[in-house]
Amino acid sequence: SREALHTYLSPRPSEESLGREQRAQSSPARLAATRVQVQQSAVPPLTPSPPRLSDVSTSSSPRQSSGTTTLLADMIANAPRPNLPDADLAKQAALKASSVIRNNPKLRGDALMEALRRAETDAVIEFNALKEERRVHKATAHHSVTGGLLHSGMLEKKSGGRRNSMEMTVGTWRTRWFVLKSSCLAYYLNDEDDQPRDVLLFDQSFRVIREKQGSHSFEVQTTSRSLHLRASTVEECDVWCAKINAMMRTSVFCEDHVHSSFAPMRDVAMCSALVNGDNYYRAVLTALNMAASEIFIAGWWINLDVKLTRGEGESEVTLRDALTAAACERDVKVYVMLYKEQAVAMPNNSFHTEEQLRAIGSENIFVLRHPHILDVSATLWSHHEKLVVVD
């Protein structure tokens, strides 16, 4: 690159001193040679502290560049950069280098090379800063909605320790990024990860056990898991144990609650207990009548003729009536997922339910029976959820 740029940009006689015939013969040849040299050249290595572009440029406004300078700038803008691993970074560096030539057409020799190297350095710095900003924002956004980030750091953990589990482990030690939150202790692959690998929720059985005084190992015990952890120093271990114990003392989940519940009773909650069929069916009918966009129903066994309201002096409304009104009168999309039973062993007859739903005759009703009989992975498995979701 240095030789190519010197050949092309070194001081030379003015165009006026050349005859028409000389210009016609020399310019295309010199331009073609320069094009080949620039395309085959490698990107110059970065230097620790090259001069800034503002120091190299001799004026605050871009200079008018010649046609050949513009062509060279376009070549550099499209040249590959194998020394930069990221494609976006390579493109940004190429555009910055091209900008140097466009805005400083009078630069020559070492000054130009330093400016090009500085442009690449600036591109790397800006790219890394943007990448770090995105990483921090992503991790911060995750932790802000999952109990905050009260304390964090790298710890070694020993695999295994899950209760009531069939996993087979050999107790391998691995380094993970641990985060202490208001309701749990979670760990991730690293500080950039926003997908927790496991979460140890605070409960009445939550304990922190120090193996021995002066050790940098400790154990966290919960109802579901016993996890062995190891810090890099005794002081770091002290900090972790103190932080976790302090959080436990203020967590309501570590206290004893009525009926041995894991959570305290709350005065305001966006839920209600439906203790019998009468309450449940009335709540379902009320929700279906309020549907404005979609209804999603999943069930192990669905009967369209079940009466959602019944009794003396009360009109009887079936599930079929409610779905027909929603799909046909209010243009609501209705999605129903039925468990496709093993007909040899169970009398669910989901095919009959599917036929009854399709017989309503609305294009707004969609039915899926699942799983397929050829799905060998679902032989000993069934849908057992009962859901009604209304939008």
Side-chain angles (χ1 to χ4, degrees):
S1 294
R2 183 184 295 274
E3 293 178 0
L5 289 171
H6 270 293
T7 301
Y8 176 68
L9 295 173
S10 58
R12 57 185 182 275
S14 62
E15 296 291 336
E16 288 77 8
S17 64
L18 297 174
R20 291 178 180 273
E21 185 175 349
Q22 289 177 319
R23 287 201 303 270
Q25 294 177 355
S26 62
S27 296
R30 187 171 65 244
L31 182 58
T34 302
R35 184 183 297 110
V36 172
Q37 287 175 314
V38 170
Q39 289 177 338
Q40 295 178 348
S41 61
V43 178
L46 296 178
T47 56
S49 57
R52 293 187 174 276
L53 293 180
S54 57
D55 300 330
V56 175
S57 179
T58 57
S59 67
S60 58
S61 59
R63 298 185 179 87
Q64 294 295 326
S65 58
S66 64
T68 50
T69 300
T70 301
L71 179 60
L72 180 60
D74 291 339
M75 289 179 182
I76 291 180
N78 295 297
R81 300 242 165 178
N83 64 315
L84 299 177
D86 190 281
D88 292 335
L89 172 58
K91 184 63 177 177
Q92 187 65 22
L95 292 175
K96 277 187 171 291
S98 173
S99 168
V100 169
I101 295 179
R102 291 179 186 276
N103 297 338
N104 300 274
K106 294 183 179 180
L107 285 180
R108 298 292 186 271
D110 291 338
L112 176 59
M113 299 308 297
E114 293 295 330
L116 292 175
R117 283 191 285 268
R118 182 59 184 173
E120 184 168 302
T121 302
D122 290 343
V124 172
I125 294 174
E126 292 174 6
F127 181 84
N128 290 336
L130 180 59
K131 185 177 179 181
E132 176 66 14
E133 181 180 349
R134 289 175 176 172
R135 182 193 69 79
V136 172
H137 176 74
K138 181 180 179 182
T140 302
H142 163 72
H143 293 305
S144 66
V145 297
T146 56
L149 196 157
L150 306 177
H151 187 64
S152 61
M154 284 292 186
L155 291 172
E156 289 185 277
K157 73 159 192 76
K158 190 177 182 180
S159 59
R162 290 181 175 85
R163 309 185 195 280
N164 303 320
S165 173
M166 299 295 292
E167 66 175 355
M168 301 294 292
T169 60
V170 293
T172 306
W173 288 91
R174 293 186 176 90
T175 302
R176 293 290 183 263
W177 180 261
F178 279 78
V179 176
L180 177 63
K181 300 175 178 293
S182 59
S183 61
C184 65
L185 178 67
Y187 65 81
Y188 305 75
L189 282 180
N190 50 57
D191 61 338
E192 299 181 7
D193 193 8
D194 63 348
Q195 298 292 328
R197 287 340 191 217
D198 199 4
V199 175
L200 284 75
L201 294 171
F202 288 149
D203 56 27
Q204 291 92 335
S205 302
F206 204 99
R207 299 289 184 273
V208 177
I209 302 174
R210 194 71 173 269
E211 293 189 356
K212 60 181 179 180
Q213 193 64 27
S215 170
H216 54 85
S217 301
F218 62 101
E219 181 182 358
V220 174
Q221 293 184 353
T222 71
T223 304
S224 60
R225 188 174 184 182
S226 176
L227 186 62
H228 291 269
L229 302 173
R230 190 162 60 193
S232 57
T233 64
V234 176
E235 292 74 16
E236 185 181 358
C237 182
D238 293 338
V239 171
W240 271 106
C241 292
K243 294 278 188 181
I244 296 175
N245 283 320
M247 195 67 250
M248 288 169 50
R249 287 192 293 270
T250 60
S251 174
V252 295
F253 298 104
C254 295
E255 301 173 359
D256 293 328
H257 305 296
V258 64
H259 306 309
S260 300
S261 172
F262 73 94
M265 294 184 66
R266 305 181 189 277
D267 296 329
V268 179
M270 297 297 292
C271 61
S272 59
L274 304 171
V275 297
N276 55 38
D278 183 55
N279 288 338
Y280 173 71
Y281 285 144
R282 290 180 186 277
V284 169
L285 179 59
T286 300
L288 295 180
N289 290 337
M290 294 172 61
S293 178
E294 295 178 346
I295 296 172
F296 173 77
I297 299 176
W300 185 77
W301 196 342
I302 298 176
N303 187 347
L304 294 182
D305 295 320
V306 66
K307 299 173 182 178
L308 301 181
T309 58
R310 64 189 76 182
E312 295 183 4
E314 192 169 17
S315 61
E316 295 181 346
V317 179
T318 64
L319 178 60
R320 186 199 313 271
D321 298 332
L323 295 182
T324 301
C328 300
E329 299 174 13
R330 303 198 305 276
D331 199 30
V332 174
K333 305 293 184 185
V334 178
Y335 302 90
V336 181
M337 183 171 68
L338 294 160
Y339 167 56
K340 188 175 183 180
E341 74 287 348
Q342 298 291 334
V344 190
M346 288 172 279
N348 295 35
N349 201 357
S350 59
F351 178 71
H352 171 73
T353 304
E354 180 181 10
E355 283 188 322
Q356 293 295 307
L357 284 166
R358 298 194 187 281
I360 294 176
S362 172
E363 296 181 352
N364 291 327
I365 296 180
F366 306 87
V367 187
L368 170 68
R369 290 197 298 153
H370 182 269
H372 194 275
I373 192 172
L374 298 180
D375 187 356
V376 294
S377 65
T379 304
L380 301 177
W381 173 90
S382 73
H383 284 289
H384 220 285
E385 66 275 16
K386 293 89 174 174
L387 301 175
V388 178
V389 183
V390 175
D391 181 7

